[in-house]
Amino acid sequence: MKNSAQVLSHIVNQPQYKKLSQHQCIDAVKSLLPPHLQKMVSFAYVKQKVLYFVLNHPGAKQEFDIIISSIKTPLKLYPPKKCQDMEFEDIRAYVSHKPKPQNRPTVGNHEGHYKERAEGDFTNIVTDKKLHDLFEKIRNTLKNSTDD
């Protein structure tokens, strides 16, 4: 009887799941980096036998360039177990200047909608007729929205 780890390793070794094993290898190489540098890696990929790390800060790129020379040689001599079938000749990094999408908290049913807290209780002391009418429309809108 096979356990779950054996089943998963068998599935990952299938040719149609080559990308899955590739991502496991990338994660193994990424784990060789210092923890603070791992946090600055946005994503990584392999293209034409070159492993690219996309970083989110220029300072991380400078530090990566300093550290990577000490990682390349041992990595070629003793590749991680998950990278036995995958070969890459070089490791490079660049900084992505594309901003990350921010997760904004939603209030209510729709994003950007909120429950109105104003009740429309104010005195309209504007003397200009157009502005006075405009303020009255705002007051009526506020009073009608709080009645709901």
Side-chain angles (χ1 to χ4, degrees):
M1 177 69 64
K2 292 183 177 182
N3 63 16
S4 60
Q6 291 172 329
V7 172
L8 284 175
S9 68
H10 177 70
I11 290 173
V12 169
N13 291 331
Q14 298 285 326
Q16 62 264 32
Y17 296 110
K18 182 181 177 186
K19 290 282 186 186
L20 239 170
S21 63
Q22 192 178 55
H23 284 290
Q24 286 181 340
C25 176
I26 290 171
D27 286 341
V29 173
K30 183 179 169 184
S31 68
L32 298 174
L33 299 173
H36 66 279
L37 200 56
Q38 288 178 17
K39 292 177 186 174
M40 293 188 184
V41 174
S42 294
F43 60 93
Y45 62 94
V46 177
K47 184 175 182 181
Q48 297 175 352
K49 293 190 176 185
V50 177
L51 176 60
Y52 290 97
F53 284 99
V54 181
L55 306 170
N56 57 13
H57 194 275
K61 164 88 169 83
Q62 290 177 340
E63 190 171 347
F64 186 89
D65 289 340
I66 294 168
I67 292 175
I68 198 61
S69 60
S70 64
I71 293 176
K72 281 183 187 178
T73 307
L75 193 60
K76 286 184 181 181
L77 295 175
Y78 306 106
K81 192 175 183 180
K82 296 177 180 177
C83 297
Q84 296 294 333
D85 59 338
M86 193 173 130
E87 297 227 359
F88 43 87
E89 297 169 354
D90 197 13
I91 300 173
R92 296 183 189 159
Y94 65 92
V95 179
S96 173
H97 296 289
K98 184 177 178 182
K100 286 185 176 181
Q102 296 179 354
N103 295 335
R104 295 184 179 155
T106 58
V107 178
N109 295 338
H110 303 288
E111 186 174 335
H113 291 255
Y114 59 94
K115 184 180 179 223
E116 183 63 56
R117 295 189 301 182
E119 297 175 357
D121 294 331
F122 58 88
T123 56
N124 190 353
I125 58 171
V126 180
T127 55
D128 185 15
K129 178 69 174 153
K130 288 183 181 179
L131 286 177
H132 184 76
D133 292 341
L134 182 63
F135 274 105
E136 289 302 318
K137 285 182 184 178
I138 292 172
R139 179 200 316 262
N140 291 334
T141 304
L142 289 174
K143 284 188 177 189
N144 291 337
S145 68
T146 56
D147 292 339
D148 294 341

